[in-house]
Amino acid sequence: MPNKHYAFVLIKVQPGKVPSVAQKLYNINEVREIFMVTGPFDILAIVETDNYERLGDILAEEIQKIQGIEETQTLMAFRTYKYLER
C-alpha cells in the first residue's frame, strides 16, 4: 500500500454555490474525489497527498479560501484498512 495521507473534508456551501465550489475543488490536484452529500454539509472532498504538511497548505491556503464556502470540517485518516488501486 502506498504511503499516502488522506483528509476527508466536509464543506458547507452558500445556497446555489455547490457547482462553482465543486469546480474550484476539481482544479486542486490533490483533491481526488468530490461528492454532493446530504445532511448538514453539502460537499465531501477527499484529499490525498504524499506529504503530510501539504495537507495543511491545501486546507488553509486553497480550500478554505474558495468563495462560497461557509464552513469546513476535516477528518484525518490515520489508518487505511482497504485501498483500491486505480
Side-chain angles (χ1 to χ4, degrees):
M1 182 181 323
N3 186 20
K4 301 282 186 177
H5 303 280
Y6 297 93
F8 300 88
V9 186
L10 295 162
I11 302 168
K12 187 179 291 187
V13 177
Q14 294 171 349
K17 299 288 185 178
V18 169
S20 64
V21 169
Q23 183 58 52
K24 290 179 178 115
L25 290 166
Y26 183 90
N27 292 326
I28 300 171
N29 288 335
E30 294 86 353
V31 174
R32 299 295 184 224
E33 298 181 66
I34 305 164
F35 301 93
M36 183 189 291
V37 296
T38 61
F41 292 92
D42 304 298
I43 294 174
L44 167 65
I46 300 175
V47 181
E48 174 188 325
T49 68
D50 294 326
N51 182 304
Y52 186 77
E53 287 77 23
R54 177 76 179 118
L55 282 175
D57 294 339
I58 295 164
L59 297 170
E61 300 299 322
E62 297 184 49
I63 292 176
Q64 290 182 352
K65 290 185 177 181
I66 294 173
Q67 292 292 323
I69 291 180
E70 292 183 342
E71 178 184 347
T72 63
Q73 183 174 346
T74 302
L75 307 169
M76 302 295 294
F78 60 90
R79 180 176 293 151
T80 302
Y81 289 103
K82 183 174 182 178
Y83 177 83
L84 298 176
E85 194 72 41
R86 295 178 191 209

